[in-house]
Amino acid sequence: MNDKSNIAGTHLNVCALLSNMNQHKEAVKHVKLALELLELAKSEAAAAKKGGDEGEENQGDQDDLYEEKVSPDEKMKTILTTMVIAYYNFGTELEYLKDY
């Protein structure tokens, strides 16, 4: 789950860079990718919260070394907050392109 939201965050950063370089069509592509990944992360977080995705939560000791223990509610909150930012960026890019 964290991988998807981290990769989505990277796409949002690329979107911001492209926007600053006036490459708004390319920026839109990255914000769309970010939103797709965030939707997947949201679905996975909801399943984990219900207990239906226990395998991903406990993939082994190796993952524990790199991943903080975060509650499902905190994960969902982070994903939803990032989605708000992504939709704002998407709207901003569409305004630049005059694509209402």
Side-chain angles (χ1 to χ4, degrees):
M1 198 272 320
N2 278 342
D3 287 340
K4 287 180 181 65
S5 58
N6 287 337
I7 294 169
T10 301
H11 279 291
L12 290 176
N13 289 335
V14 171
C15 170
L17 290 170
L18 290 168
S19 182
N20 284 334
M21 297 178 351
N22 292 319
Q23 295 181 16
H24 301 293
K25 285 183 182 179
E26 287 298 313
V28 165
K29 291 178 186 177
H30 283 277
V31 78
K32 285 182 178 180
L33 287 170
L35 285 166
E36 288 176 21
L37 288 167
L38 289 165
E39 285 292 339
L40 289 172
K42 184 176 81 168
S43 296
E44 289 176 4
K49 188 174 180 179
K50 291 180 183 176
D53 200 6
E54 293 172 10
E56 185 161 323
E57 289 294 318
N58 298 319
Q59 292 178 357
D61 293 335
Q62 187 69 20
D63 287 345
D64 291 343
L65 296 174
Y66 303 108
E67 189 173 320
E68 285 184 37
K69 299 293 182 189
V70 180
S71 72
D73 287 335
E74 280 299 312
K75 287 180 183 179
M76 184 64 82
K77 183 178 170 183
T78 300
I79 292 166
L80 294 175
T81 301
T82 307
M83 288 181 85
V84 168
I85 294 165
Y87 277 112
Y88 175 82
N89 289 354
F90 191 26
T92 300
E93 293 308 314
L94 293 177
E95 282 183 343
Y96 277 118
L97 295 170
K98 299 190 185 315
D99 187 359
Y100 306 110

